[in-house]
Amino acid sequence: MTAVVVLILRLALAALLYAFLWQVMHTLWREFKGQSTFLLSQKMPGIFVSAQTEDSAALQFHFRQPEILIGRSVNCDISLKDETLSARHARLSFHHGQWWLEDLNSTNGTFLNNDPVKVPAVIITGDQFKCGNTLFSLRIESGRETLPHPVQNEIGDQS
């Protein structure tokens, strides 16, 4: 008689244990799905950058990467032949859900809407900044846009 009671108790405890484990796994799965939905909604918006130098036509750039380097160096994402630009003059970066502009200790400084950039600053659509003798205009994608044609990804290269 006691063996039957012990067997029934063991089966009941095993069923409770499996029910508990299923509830934990179900809760973790829901949390995982919620986090993935949140992360997908936080996708980085692309950015359009227009560069106007004193001696050339405006150049249009479009980026979907989290960091953009601006300077004279050919290793920069926006490489311009402006002698007043430093080799690595400024950086545009996307973090904390916003685009930021940062001066990289350039010789001639970076100016956002005519104010010197001393610390990284949040930028928005319509902002203008100046590096050397080049004036840059910004437009951040809203996510529902398509690329205007043509857009130059490198000087003289249209896509």
Side-chain angles (χ1 to χ4, degrees):
M1 175 78 176
T2 59
V4 174
V5 171
V6 170
L7 179 63
I8 292 173
L9 286 175
R10 282 186 178 177
L11 290 174
L13 285 175
L16 286 172
L17 178 63
Y18 282 116
F20 174 77
L21 288 175
W22 181 86
Q23 184 66 32
V24 168
M25 295 302 289
H26 185 331
T27 302
L28 287 174
W29 178 253
R30 281 192 329 213
E31 190 67 27
F32 174 77
K33 293 282 283 180
Q35 287 293 324
S36 65
T37 303
F38 173 76
L39 290 175
L40 285 175
S41 70
Q42 298 296 314
K43 283 187 177 180
M44 180 188 71
I47 187 168
F48 292 94
V49 181
S50 174
Q52 177 68 50
T53 59
E54 289 181 339
D55 58 343
S56 70
L59 303 171
Q60 299 290 324
F61 301 91
H62 178 256
F63 296 98
R64 287 193 177 277
Q65 60 198 46
E67 184 175 282
I68 302 158
L69 290 175
I70 300 169
R72 261 190 357 254
S73 170
V74 294
N75 296 330
C76 290
D77 300 300
I78 299 177
S79 178
L80 300 170
K81 292 176 175 52
D82 179 350
E83 292 302 318
T84 58
L85 281 177
S86 298
R88 289 174 37 112
H89 195 101
R91 173 185 5 230
L92 296 171
S93 57
F94 185 81
H95 55 87
H96 296 96
Q98 297 175 315
W99 279 99
W100 297 73
L101 172 65
E102 175 183 8
D103 182 69
L104 299 176
N105 297 319
S106 63
T107 304
N108 295 318
T110 302
F111 297 86
L112 175 61
N113 299 324
N114 296 322
D115 294 324
V117 176
K118 303 284 188 207
V119 296
V122 173
I123 55 176
I124 60 173
T125 295
D127 278 346
Q128 292 186 331
F129 66 96
K130 190 169 186 172
C131 296
N133 290 327
T134 305
L135 182 65
F136 295 89
S137 299
L138 300 169
R139 184 167 58 88
I140 299 171
E141 285 183 339
S142 64
R144 296 178 299 277
E145 304 179 50
T146 59
L147 287 175
H149 294 286
V151 171
Q152 294 178 336
N153 291 324
E154 293 181 21
I155 297 176
D157 179 30
Q158 296 184 354
S159 59

